[in-house]
Every structure is written in C-alpha cells, then in structure tokens.
C-alpha cells in the first residue's frame, strides 16, 4: 500500500486524486468512483451543500490513450471518505490527508509572509517545474522514433534467429516464430505493432525481447 499522498493546488483549492486515494486505501478505483457518486447524489439533495466543495469531477488518459473518469477530493471530500473507513487503512489514510493538507496550508501561510519579489520568483520556478513535468510526460508517451523502431526490429530478428538455431527450426518453424513474437509483443505492450510502442516502454521492450521464448 502506498503511504504517500500528493496534494495538488488547482484554482485555489487543495485537492487529492481519487486514484491515489484508492491505491492508499487498497480499494479498486472503480469501486471508489461509485462510492463518490453516491455521496454526490446525497449532497445534491441538500440545497445548502455544493458537491464541488467535496468532489471535483475530472478525467485522465490511461496508458492506452483512453479517457477515464476520476475525481479530485477536497479536504472535506477526504474527510467524508475517511469517515466510512475502519481499521489500519482508514487510520493511515486519515493521518496522511490531514498531514498533507496541513502542510500545504502552512506552506501557503509562509509564502504570504515573503516579499513580493520572492513570491514572484517562487511562482516562476513552480511554473517552470510544472512545464518541465508536462513536457517530460508528453515525451514519454510519444511513440518511439525511427531509430528506436529499427533497434526493436533488429532485436526481434536477432532473438528469432537465436532460437531458430537453438531449436533447429526449418523455414516454416521460423515463420511461425516470427509471427508468435510479434503477436506476443503486441499483447505485452498493448500496441497494434512494435512501431507504435511508447518511448517510455522502449527499454522494457528491449529486455522483453531478449528473454522471449515461444510458448510450447
């Protein structure tokens, strides 16, 4: 179980990603989503309450590039989720979100005591770090380049010929082996062809090819 909980700032609110909450509490994210939807339905029955004060609906892209729903929880939203939890996981989650939210609030207070010049410098540095993180994420999710495609192709060829020689396969056996490694590669990395591999998965793919064996 992950005991770290990251609090982010968005539009003046401190928020926690429901995926992190699910991981930390040992719940399936889909189950937590259903629970939060139930809370929102209940909140909406009271005209004095706003669901956005507890849960902010959002989306993200999974590893396949598909858009998935998730929620961003405010401190009140975390409290609502934590109140229904019992045992060690509930205690650890409560301790984590209280600690992190308090730290963020303390940081904000310390920031407000700084001179305007220092505040501006810190804001610029934070924006640069955020930009660098976004660029890094985009680069990692890009497909491999032409050179990396060639490397993958050569590693596949090398591995197949190694196994053909080891097992004494004939031309038909070699053809089946090529077909098998490409099929297994697509399944292992959830891509249409090796050319569609993510840059992030390149090193893992090289290692995978080096240990691949045909299923008997």
């Amino acid at each position: 179980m992950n005991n770290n909980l990251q609090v982010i700032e968005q539009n003046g609110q401190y928020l926690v990603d429901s995926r992190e909450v699910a991981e930390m509490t040992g719940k399936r994210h889909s189950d937590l989503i259903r629970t939060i939807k139930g809370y929102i339905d209940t909140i909406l029955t009271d005209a004095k309450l706003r669901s956005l004060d507890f849960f902010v609906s959002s989306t993200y892209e999974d590893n396949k590039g598909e858009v998935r729903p998730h929620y961003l929880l405010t401190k009140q939203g975390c409290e609502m989720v934590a109140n229904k939890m019992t045992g060690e996981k509930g205690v650890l989650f409560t301790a984590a979100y209280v600690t992190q939210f308090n730290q963020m609030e303390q940081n904000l207070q310390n920031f407000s005591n700084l001179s305007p010049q220092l505040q501006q410098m810190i804001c610029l540095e934070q924006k640069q770090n955020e930009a660098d993180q976004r660029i890094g994420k985009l680069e990692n999710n890009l497909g491999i380049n032409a050179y990396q495609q060639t490397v993958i192709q050569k590693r596949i060829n090398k591995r197949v010929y190694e196994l053909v020689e080891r097992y004494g396969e004939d031309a038909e056996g070699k053809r089946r082996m090529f077909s098998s490694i490409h099929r297994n590669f697509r399944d292992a990395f959830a891509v249409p062809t090796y050319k569609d591999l993510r840059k992030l998965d390149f090193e893992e793919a090289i290692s995978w090819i080096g240990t691949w064996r045909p299923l008997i």
Side-chain angles (χ1 to χ4, degrees), residues 134-149:
R134 287 195 297 269
I135 291 172
K137 185 176 180 181
L138 287 172
E139 288 180 345
N140 283 334
N141 282 283
L142 290 174
I144 56 177
N145 58 36
Y147 170 75
Q148 291 170 318
Q149 291 176 14

Side-chain angles (χ1 to χ4, degrees), residues 9 22 33-34 40 44 47 68-69 79 84 87 105 112 129 133-134 157 165 173 175 198 203 208 211:
E9 190 275 332
I33 289 289
R34 282 193 292 271
I40 292 175
L44 292 177
R68 302 287 187 185
E79 290 171 353
K84 295 295 183 179
E105 290 167 359
S112 64
N129 289 337
Q133 290 175 1
R134 287 195 297 269
N157 291 345
E165 183 177 354
R175 186 194 65 78
R198 294 188 310 163
E203 294 298 332
W208 181 91
T211 59

Side-chain angles (χ1 to χ4, degrees), residues 127-175:
K127 288 180 180 179
Q128 183 61 53
N129 289 337
E130 291 171 359
D132 290 343
Q133 290 175 1
R134 287 195 297 269
I135 291 172
K137 185 176 180 181
L138 287 172
E139 288 180 345
N140 283 334
N141 282 283
L142 290 174
I144 56 177
N145 58 36
Y147 170 75
Q148 291 170 318
Q149 291 176 14
T150 301
V151 171
I152 292 288
Q153 183 183 43
K154 288 183 177 179
R155 292 297 180 93
I156 288 176
N157 291 345
K158 179 182 177 182
R159 183 58 178 167
V160 168
Y161 281 110
E162 286 175 350
L163 296 174
V164 165
E165 183 177 354
R166 181 181 304 175
Y167 298 132
E169 295 284 353
D170 57 14
E172 178 61 23
K174 182 176 71 173
R175 186 194 65 78

